[in-house]
Amino acid sequence: MPTINFIEFGGREHRIEVPAGTSVMRAAVDNRVPGIDGDCGGECACATCHVYVDQAWLPKTGERTESEEELLAFASGSEPNSRLACQIQMTDALDGLQVRLPEGQH
Ligand code: FES
């Protein structure tokens, strides 16, 4: 199963293994990784699953969707490598994906 490495704002790391097809948001919430809320349940409607994708992984995680782009425009601390974790589905090709969490989700 592919693994995701979540790095909290304070630097603490969480390596989480999930089945392919699981969203990065679901992986965090189901495994109690602090720092990702996922308030809308993955509907791309809340932006409380904001993460920063490690530069090396950006080409593999794909493009932001239009609605994701709109939500990220209003997310605090949004950067060019920001994504909504509910919009990234894990695949075997993403094994080892590294994402950093923002200081807060609002
Ligand atoms: Fe709401 Fe990702 S969980 S936008």
Side-chain angles (χ1 to χ4, degrees):
M1 289 199 287
T3 300
I4 311 167
N5 191 24
F6 292 95
I7 305 173
E8 286 183 50
F9 186 74
R12 193 166 154 222
E13 298 192 19
H14 303 261
R15 275 186 193 281
I16 306 292
E17 207 178 64
V18 289
T22 307
S23 78
V24 173
M25 178 280 283
R26 185 51 59 201
V29 170
D30 288 355
N31 290 282
R32 294 181 163 67
V33 174
I36 293 190
D37 299 337
D39 287 345
C40 75
E43 299 298 323
C44 199
C46 71
T48 65
C49 63
H50 177 200
V51 296
Y52 302 110
V53 174
D54 183 86
Q55 294 292 340
W57 289 95
L58 273 180
K60 289 190 176 176
T61 46
E63 301 286 318
R64 298 174 182 173
T65 63
E66 204 172 306
S67 47
E68 187 180 356
E69 194 81 58
E70 285 168 14
L71 281 173
L72 281 170
F74 295 102
S76 72
S78 187
E79 298 285 345
N81 63 335
S82 291
R83 291 292 309 270
L84 295 179
C86 66
Q87 300 303 302
I88 304 173
Q89 309 298 323
M90 285 305 288
T91 63
D92 289 333
L94 288 179
D95 183 29
L97 174 67
Q98 183 152 299
V99 298
R100 290 182 179 273
L101 307 183
E103 187 169 11
Q105 289 291 353
H106 296 286

